[in-house]
Amino acid sequence: MANLHKYILLILICFLSLNRMLAQENNTPEKPKIVIINGDTMQSYEAKPILILPSPVFANEDDLKKFKKLVRNLKVVYPYAKQAKLLIAEIEYSIDSIPNKKDRNRFIKEKEKALMNRYQKELERLSVTQGRLLMKLLDREVNKTTYEIIKELRGGFQAFMWQQMAKLFGSDLKVGYDAKGEDRIIEKIIILIENGQL
């Protein structure tokens, strides 16, 4: 069961190319901003806003342990979801510029192969729980379920087949992200992670 979830996630991430994104990172330091106040020249810094959320209250020790485990799992998979957002946009942009369906399929398969080589070992280490979280976070970041992503990039038949395999093992590729409902705790944790508070 764990291997199926890992493979499904691997297929999803295979549509993304982190190598290209990492090559595009700009490592040039920013020039400091200068402000002149009453004739004195000073450097100006812009601080990130700090979000203050109420501390979570736990009914018992088990709830606290579950919360800590959720935080650990999100710290593992959230970077993948953030990278996926950028890379799915890049792939969709590239696909739009390829007029021939055969060439588009070749392009997607090349991306898939490169990502398998790069990320297979990392993704195989994900637990089933982390895999399910990653599917939800993909929907959060891209506003498309895992099923919709596969359908757009690989076609309806592939999406249907993967959905059937996922269901055999108790998962659902059509599961979305509900920030105000069942996933509100995940949303709060992500906000704290983004603000560097966790």
Side-chain angles (χ1 to χ4, degrees):
M1 177 171 143
N3 286 337
L4 175 65
H5 286 291
K6 291 174 189 172
Y7 191 69
I8 290 170
L9 292 172
L10 185 58
I11 292 297
L12 292 175
I13 299 299
C14 285
F15 297 121
L16 316 168
S17 171
L18 290 177
N19 297 334
R20 189 163 174 186
M21 185 190 78
L22 293 174
Q24 292 176 353
E25 278 185 358
N26 185 0
N27 294 325
T28 308
E30 258 185 63
K31 290 183 181 180
K33 295 177 183 173
I34 304 295
V35 177
I36 300 174
I37 301 174
N38 297 330
D40 289 334
T41 305
M42 296 184 247
Q43 272 189 319
S44 173
Y45 297 95
E46 190 173 313
K48 286 173 56 174
I50 297 175
L51 180 66
I52 299 174
L53 295 173
S55 296
V57 178
F58 304 102
N60 53 47
E61 190 68 27
D62 285 341
D63 287 349
L64 174 62
K65 286 179 184 178
K66 287 177 186 175
F67 179 80
K68 287 181 177 181
K69 184 176 181 179
L70 180 59
V71 170
R72 278 193 313 272
N73 286 335
L74 284 170
K75 285 183 175 182
V76 169
V77 298
Y78 185 58
Y80 288 115
K82 292 296 285 181
Q83 293 166 346
K85 178 181 181 176
L86 298 173
L87 297 167
I88 286 175
E90 176 190 324
I91 288 172
E92 286 176 347
Y93 177 78
S94 297
I95 287 174
D96 288 343
S97 65
I98 302 172
N100 185 325
K101 185 176 180 179
K102 185 177 179 181
D103 291 339
R104 274 191 298 243
N105 289 339
R106 186 180 310 124
F107 172 78
I108 290 170
K109 286 181 181 180
E110 286 171 5
K111 290 287 187 185
E112 189 175 327
K113 184 177 178 183
L115 286 163
M116 287 284 255
N117 292 335
R118 168 68 176 88
Y119 290 101
Q120 184 173 1
K121 288 181 183 174
E122 288 178 40
L123 293 172
E124 284 177 351
R125 287 188 222 124
L126 293 180
S127 69
V128 172
T129 302
Q130 290 169 340
R132 287 181 178 150
L133 276 174
L134 182 56
M135 286 192 290
K136 281 183 172 270
L137 294 180
L138 280 172
D139 183 46
R140 179 187 186 268
E141 295 301 316
V142 184
N143 207 19
K144 294 176 188 171
T145 64
T146 304
Y147 179 86
E148 292 167 332
I149 294 168
I150 295 172
K151 186 176 180 182
E152 284 181 16
L153 296 175
R154 295 296 298 234
F157 181 73
Q158 286 288 323
F160 172 78
M161 293 303 292
W162 283 109
Q163 173 68 352
Q164 295 311 308
M165 289 202 44
K167 283 191 170 200
L168 283 173
F169 293 96
S171 287
D172 186 356
L173 301 181
K174 294 181 181 181
V175 168
Y177 185 78
D178 184 8
K180 293 181 180 171
E182 74 175 34
D183 299 320
R184 66 185 177 282
I185 294 171
I186 294 172
E187 185 67 21
K188 287 179 183 178
I189 293 170
I190 288 172
I191 291 168
L192 291 171
I193 289 171
E194 286 176 341
N195 286 316
Q197 293 173 274
L198 262 182

